[in-house]
């Protein structure tokens, strides 16, 4: 019957969520335990759902185990800032803590050379700024984010943060330069464009998945278009990525 099918669909979706959460948690907790030591003074905190598990593990280490006496956390977004405050961790900022020991963040897709697509949650600009201040950048993700080449997993495209006045010209310039389609990210129920923590708009550029792109070159070219504030392409930034796998194991890529 209809209700049995929908119950079955609901249960299978719930199982997927539980499995994904277990994978995210494993990646997050392993990264924290391997990279954050009692000598870590300043830690950059990324954004997204996997980062929630990072902050929970940090709070356990600080409050239950007492193993991180000096830790200062620098957020990459409003969400990260709230997480730090909610877990009663020490909040830092780039004015005082511009040298970061380790930055931990999630990603939307990671290719075999550790090129990342980020910004699914719209925080790419501050994420890239905070990551650029870190000695070591560690990525934590579930198995759905792992690709040989970009475009295998992430069909929503590469997020680009743009000044509101420039979203139409930037869209056309990206499409002329590199093909595909760049779409303005719209809020749910078409309530208007999504606005970032920095008051800007986002384009999601669906590139041509089958085309060979030099991501370093693409990133530099798009960054040069007037009105572009940051791209969600992170090239040569990540040092290591922990993937939680569906079968409960961990894959490490560096
Ligand atoms: C936010 C991001 C996130 O790190 C990325 O979207 C991954 O999020 P999640 O851990 O929820 O899958 O870049 O702008």
């Amino acid at each position: 019957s209809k209700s049995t099918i929908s119950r079955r669909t609901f249960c299978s979706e719930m199982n997927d969520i539980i499995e994904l959460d277990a994978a995210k948690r494993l990646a997050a907790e392993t990264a924290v335990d391997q990279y954050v030591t009692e000598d870590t003074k300043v830690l950059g905190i990324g954004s997204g759902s996997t980062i929630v598990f990072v902050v929970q593990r940090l709070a356990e280490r600080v409050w239950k185990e007492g193993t991180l006496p000096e830790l200062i956390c620098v957020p990459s977004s409003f969400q990260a800032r709230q997480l730090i405050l909610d877990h009663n961790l020490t909040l830092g900022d780039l004015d005082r803590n511009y040298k970061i020991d380790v930055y931990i963040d999630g990603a939307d897709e990671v290719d075999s050379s550790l090129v990342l697509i980020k910004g699914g949650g719209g925080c790419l600009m501050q994420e890239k700024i905070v990551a650029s201040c870190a000695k070591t950048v560690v990525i934590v993700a579930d198995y759905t984010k792992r690709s040989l080449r970009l475009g295998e997993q992430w069909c929503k495209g590469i997020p680009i943060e743009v000044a509101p006045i420039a979203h139409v010209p930037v869209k056309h310039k990206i499409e002329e330069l590199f093909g595909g389609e760049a779409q303005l990210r719209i809020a749910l129920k078409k309530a208007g464009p999504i606005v970032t923590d920095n008051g800007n708009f986002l384009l999601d550029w669906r590139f041509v998945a089958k085309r060979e792109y030099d991501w370093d070159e693409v990133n530099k070219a798009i960054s040069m278009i007037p009105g572009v504030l940051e791209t969600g392409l992170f090239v040569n930034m990540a040092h290591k990525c922990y993937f939680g796998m569906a079968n409960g194991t961990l894959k490490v890529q560096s």
Side-chain angles (χ1 to χ4, degrees):
S1 75
K2 225 177 184 179
S3 78
T4 322
I5 294 169
S6 65
R7 206 176 311 128
R8 231 184 267 142
T9 314
F10 175 75
C11 288
S12 112
E13 278 171 11
M14 282 310 286
N15 280 341
D16 287 352
I17 292 171
I18 291 168
E19 190 182 271
L20 276 180
D21 272 359
K24 289 175 193 201
R25 182 189 290 277
L26 178 65
E29 292 184 347
T30 311
V32 168
D33 287 350
Q34 296 199 348
Y35 273 91
V36 189
T37 69
E38 59 179 28
D39 297 327
T40 309
K41 294 194 169 50
V42 185
L43 181 71
I45 304 289
S47 316
S49 57
T50 319
I51 284 305
V52 175
F53 297 113
V54 167
V55 175
Q56 284 173 357
R57 179 66 192 134
L58 288 170
E60 252 172 40
R61 298 262 312 269
V62 170
W63 297 115
K64 282 200 195 138
E65 299 170 20
T67 50
L68 302 174
E70 298 195 45
L71 191 70
I72 294 172
C73 296
V74 177
S76 63
S77 61
F78 183 79
Q79 178 224 0
R81 185 176 185 277
Q82 287 305 118
L83 275 174
I84 294 165
L85 293 175
D86 288 349
H87 289 79
N88 222 358
L89 300 172
T90 307
L91 182 68
D93 57 52
L94 288 182
D95 292 359
R96 281 168 296 189
N97 315 107
Y98 59 91
K99 284 193 178 172
I100 293 178
D101 297 311
V102 184
Y103 177 71
I104 305 184
D105 201 350
D108 299 306
E109 190 167 0
V110 181
D111 79 3
S112 56
S113 313
L114 286 186
V115 174
L116 319 173
I117 296 179
K118 288 190 47 56
C123 313
L124 56 143
M125 180 159 139
Q126 291 189 42
E127 288 173 342
K128 204 181 265 189
I129 294 169
V130 180
S132 76
C133 298
K135 262 189 242 146
T136 307
V137 173
V138 180
I139 300 301
V140 286
D142 64 72
Y143 53 94
T144 63
K145 312 296 183 60
R146 188 164 175 254
S147 289
L148 277 179
R149 39 180 290 162
L150 297 185
E152 273 171 27
Q153 312 280 6
W154 180 243
C155 53
K156 290 191 184 159
I158 297 175
I160 319 274
E161 184 155 348
V162 291
I165 186 183
H167 75 93
V168 173
V170 170
K171 164 192 164 62
H172 290 293
K173 283 176 184 152
I174 292 174
E175 290 170 357
E176 276 158 28
L177 279 171
F178 296 113
E181 192 187 357
Q183 268 181 6
L184 185 64
R185 196 181 295 181
I186 301 292
L188 282 179
K189 298 189 181 157
K190 304 199 172 143
I194 293 270
V195 177
T196 69
D197 284 356
N198 316 301
N200 300 310
F201 290 174
L202 291 164
L203 293 174
D204 287 304
W205 172 46
R206 289 178 178 80
F207 51 94
V208 184
K210 286 195 185 127
R211 188 162 151 184
E212 282 294 332
Y213 289 101
D214 174 335
W215 292 119
D216 195 25
E217 190 189 291
V218 170
N219 181 42
K220 284 179 181 146
I222 294 181
S223 303
M224 292 298 290
I225 301 172
V228 170
L229 297 157
E230 198 46 86
T231 83
L233 271 170
F234 284 47
V235 186
N236 295 326
M237 292 193 90
H239 297 95
K240 201 166 222 179
C241 182
Y242 290 89
F243 294 102
M245 304 304 289
N247 63 2
T249 62
L250 193 74
K251 280 236 165 3
V252 186
Q253 197 173 312
S254 45

